[in-house]
Amino acid sequence: MSSTQPHILAALNRHVASLRGIRRGIEKESLRINTAGELARTPHPSALGSALTHPEITTDFSEALLEFITPVSTSIDDTLDHLDQIHRWTYANLGEEMLWPGSMPCLLGPDDSIPVAQYGSSNVARMKTLYRLGLGQRYGRRMQTISGIHYNFSVPDELWQWLADANGETVTQDFITERYFGLIRNFRRLSWLLIYLFGAAPAVCSCFLEGKSHQLDRLSSGTLYNPYGTSLRMGDFGYQSAAQSSLNICYNTLENYIQTLKKAIQTPHPDYARISQSEQLSAGLLQIENEFYSPIRPKRVTQSGEIPLGALRRGGVEYIEVRCVDVNPESPLGIRREQIEFLDTFLIYCLISDSPQCNEKVYREIGDNLRQVVERGREPNLNLHDHGQALTLQTWATQIFDELTPIANAFDEAWSGSRYGDCLSHWRETVAQPERTPSARMLETLRERDLSYYGYMMERAEAHRDYFQQPALNKEQQLKARSISEESLVAQRKIEESDDVDFDDYLRHYYEQYETL
């Protein structure tokens, strides 16, 4: 069990103002659909600018899978307001199309009919599309349409200073990187709690699993579900694969992380060697770092043409990216303020608590706990394991909430309010009352109203569309959004005009960077 030492909590209480400097950003994925709830087959709307260079609106795997990116901010209100404006601008340019409001996807059609994202004719654009073609070959295109929320998080210099002082250390980039990896290790051990609290994907359209074996129950015509499940997205139907199940990426140090990921990228996989070179970047177990599906990643902003591992080697960890949050269909934005407040509290807890290094036994335990909560998280008296000790989910969660309390109190003192303490009380109640979790409430709605998963999501999609269409952005906001879109199109053309090597050479130079790590 991770714990926070008393002298660290005492230092936090002396420096609560540092919590006001936490920087955050949200990336939210949403599928474009037509009025029948089918995946849109139309190109990325030109009014939204270039998916390659727009700073706030891009696409993920599919041409129809939008990704909204908020700027980095120290204000939760500003972050949510910006996400709201991105939605309103998008809806102003979608015509009759809508955004699917859940993580598990809409009516997709045949796998090969799902359009892969296009980014233009430049080398970097062609690489992005080829990578996605490879994902489709390896895992199927349907799996790649599953959506989520990514939460980017970093802490200010003031917090690093008092944390180093409390431990008798000096603030260096090595210190910051080491502490971020400690955060990641704690997060991975305890991420099952976020799956339990935030999981909002217990059901799926049966067509998504057409032709695949599964052990889901039938809730209604066209709807499959796990009776006690929380997030199908984080389980076997989400971003998982047999090939990746053998991966043991090590988070004990930056060097461990770099070398284990590098090996996975450079090691050919026999199944992938049979895929045409025109359909993937490489035959490696991983084509690039992003193919490794992890609930949390260490990150640093890359320079032009730089590999992510190279950026980490160059400058250490700059921020972390939380990737295990489902899109909340009950919120037009896909995430609520109380979720962000809990994430802040939870991540600071993971940062300042003891974080012993992991071994293969701990990694297996982490994976087993996660699977249990994904598939059976609301089952009464569900047992998990913490370093070999069996204890119920409720018992362990209660212990964690007790340790989160002084951190929430520090946030409230920093902001002269009670929101963080109130938020913690709200989520604590869902531990004792599983029927209050988002996953349970969704299933209750489906049963009580005799709705299919498709019918429920279409209701939410239409409600969210109406919400974002009125009121529209004001004139100043529209002009700014239009200007950003137009500037992104210009930027894309400049990249295309500046290419001075052929694509094969571009790829070779890109992969040569792994040799020097």
Side-chain angles (χ1 to χ4, degrees):
M1 178 72 187
S2 301
S3 60
T4 308
Q5 296 184 32
H7 74 283
I8 299 296
L9 282 178
L12 170 62
N13 288 330
R14 291 194 300 272
H15 299 90
V16 294
S18 67
L19 297 175
R20 296 172 63 96
I22 286 175
R23 298 180 292 271
R24 58 184 67 78
I26 293 173
E27 302 169 22
K28 186 238 185 178
E29 299 165 340
S30 296
L31 289 166
R32 287 188 292 113
I33 59 172
N34 62 24
T35 55
E38 300 164 332
L39 185 71
R41 299 303 197 272
T42 51
H44 184 67
S46 60
L48 300 183
S50 166
L52 179 68
T53 56
H54 198 294
E56 297 175 359
I57 304 173
T58 183
T59 54
D60 198 275
F61 172 79
S62 174
E63 188 77 348
L65 181 51
L66 290 172
E67 182 174 345
F68 300 150
I69 305 166
T70 67
V72 176
S73 174
T74 58
S75 165
I76 294 177
D77 288 336
D78 287 351
T79 296
L80 293 176
D81 286 347
H82 208 105
L83 187 57
D84 182 273
Q85 290 180 33
I86 296 172
H87 278 83
R88 293 185 190 278
W89 174 245
T90 298
Y91 262 108
N93 294 282
L94 280 187
E96 292 186 346
E97 291 180 354
M98 297 184 291
L99 300 179
W100 187 256
S103 280
M104 299 307 288
C106 57
L107 306 181
L108 297 173
D111 199 74
D112 60 4
S113 72
I114 298 170
V116 174
Q118 305 293 315
Y119 299 94
S121 60
S122 65
N123 285 328
V124 64
R126 292 176 63 188
M127 181 177 175
K128 288 169 73 72
T129 295
L130 186 56
Y131 166 61
R132 285 155 175 77
L133 288 171
L135 295 177
Q137 289 287 336
R138 293 169 177 225
Y139 313 106
R141 295 188 181 185
R142 286 185 187 180
M143 190 190 85
Q144 301 298 320
T145 63
I146 296 172
S147 304
I149 297 281
H150 299 167
Y151 187 68
N152 298 318
F153 175 92
S154 64
V155 299
D157 293 343
E158 295 87 344
L159 194 152
W160 290 126
Q161 187 62 60
W162 71 251
L163 186 58
D165 290 344
N167 285 284
E169 299 185 57
T170 302
V171 177
T172 63
Q173 182 57 54
D174 287 344
F175 170 81
I176 292 171
T177 293
E178 179 183 347
R179 296 302 301 210
Y180 270 133
F181 270 94
L183 181 160
I184 289 170
R185 289 194 298 275
N186 279 334
F187 181 95
R188 294 183 74 245
R189 292 188 189 98
L190 305 177
S191 60
W192 57 264
L193 180 59
L194 296 181
I195 305 301
Y196 173 85
L197 296 176
F198 295 168
V204 66
C205 291
S206 56
C207 60
F208 179 75
L209 296 174
E210 188 175 0
K212 293 185 177 182
S213 61
H214 62 82
Q215 295 182 330
L216 298 181
D217 293 348
R218 185 170 298 280
L219 181 64
S220 63
S221 177
T223 301
L224 300 171
Y225 80 119
N226 254 337
Y228 294 108
T230 55
S231 175
L232 297 179
R233 166 177 169 265
M234 295 301 297
D236 292 341
F237 306 122
Y239 293 108
Q240 308 291 331
S241 74
Q244 286 202 25
S245 65
S246 63
L247 273 176
N248 280 321
I249 302 302
C250 183
Y251 296 90
N252 285 337
T253 66
L254 174 60
E255 186 64 26
N256 291 149
Y257 180 76
I258 289 174
Q259 293 305 322
T260 50
L261 258 183
K262 172 185 173 181
K263 181 179 179 181
I265 292 168
Q266 293 186 316
T267 302
H269 190 279
D271 290 345
Y272 303 152
R274 291 190 282 270
I275 300 174
S276 167
Q277 290 184 351
S278 65
E279 294 287 326
Q280 63 179 354
L281 289 175
S282 78
L285 177 56
L286 302 176
Q287 298 174 91
I288 57 176
E289 294 92 324
N290 287 356
E291 190 173 340
F292 175 56
Y293 300 122
S294 172
I296 187 170
R297 287 177 180 166
K299 303 276 287 199
R300 173 165 287 276
V301 175
T302 57
Q303 298 173 353
S304 178
E306 185 179 34
I307 59 175
L309 288 181
L312 287 172
R313 168 74 81 201
R314 168 177 55 81
V317 182
E318 183 178 9
Y319 66 99
I320 58 97
E321 178 187 48
V322 173
R323 302 169 52 82
C324 61
V325 179
D326 286 344
V327 179
N328 184 346
E330 291 298 320
S331 166
L333 297 177
I335 187 169
R336 296 187 186 278
R337 183 188 177 101
E338 59 263 28
Q339 290 179 275
I340 295 175
E341 290 165 341
F342 185 84
L343 282 167
D344 287 348
T345 307
F346 184 77
L347 290 168
I348 290 295
Y349 170 66
C350 289
L351 176 67
I352 68 176
S353 297
D354 293 340
S355 183
Q357 294 194 348
C358 296
N359 53 38
E360 289 190 13
K361 182 178 179 180
V362 173
Y363 287 141
R364 287 195 297 271
E365 189 176 74
I366 289 170
D368 289 343
N369 286 339
L370 191 63
R371 281 188 292 274
Q372 292 272 62
V373 175
V374 162
E375 297 173 3
R376 304 162 51 211
R378 289 176 288 104
E379 183 176 283
N381 300 315
L382 175 67
N383 272 325
L384 304 178
H385 289 85
D386 181 21
H387 290 89
Q389 177 188 358
L391 66 174
T392 66
L393 180 150
Q394 284 74 20
T395 298
W396 194 356
T398 299
Q399 292 174 1
I400 297 170
F401 270 91
D402 288 344
E403 298 205 358
L404 291 173
T405 298
I407 298 172
N409 291 341
F411 270 105
D412 281 337
E413 183 177 346
W415 290 104
S416 301
S418 63
R419 295 193 65 110
Y420 281 83
D422 294 343
C423 156
L424 206 63
S425 296
H426 164 79
W427 291 112
R428 186 191 282 264
E429 289 172 359
T430 66
V431 174
Q433 302 175 60
E435 65 275 11
R436 299 186 60 167
T437 58
S439 56
R441 286 180 167 177
M442 180 190 295
L443 294 179
E444 181 183 18
T445 298
L446 299 187
R447 290 192 187 98
E448 287 188 349
R449 299 185 53 207
D450 194 25
L451 274 175
S452 65
Y453 175 77
Y454 164 82
Y456 167 75
M457 287 296 174
M458 286 299 290
E459 283 191 358
R460 304 314 307 147
E462 291 164 1
H464 294 175
R465 174 201 59 202
D466 295 345
Y467 175 84
F468 287 122
Q469 287 181 336
Q470 295 295 333
L473 296 179
N474 61 41
K475 186 174 182 179
E476 180 182 352
Q477 291 168 330
Q478 292 181 46
L479 288 172
K480 182 178 180 181
R482 185 174 294 111
S483 175
I484 293 173
S485 293
E486 292 171 351
E487 289 170 2
S488 72
L489 292 170
V490 172
Q492 177 182 325
R493 287 194 293 272
K494 288 182 177 179
I495 292 172
E496 291 170 348
E497 293 167 357
S498 67
D499 275 352
D500 55 5
V501 298
D502 66 31
F503 184 58
D504 289 341
D505 287 340
Y506 176 85
L507 275 188
R508 185 174 67 255
H509 294 326
Y510 186 88
Y511 277 97
E512 283 175 351
Q513 296 178 71
Y514 293 107
E515 300 293 339
T516 60
L517 286 175

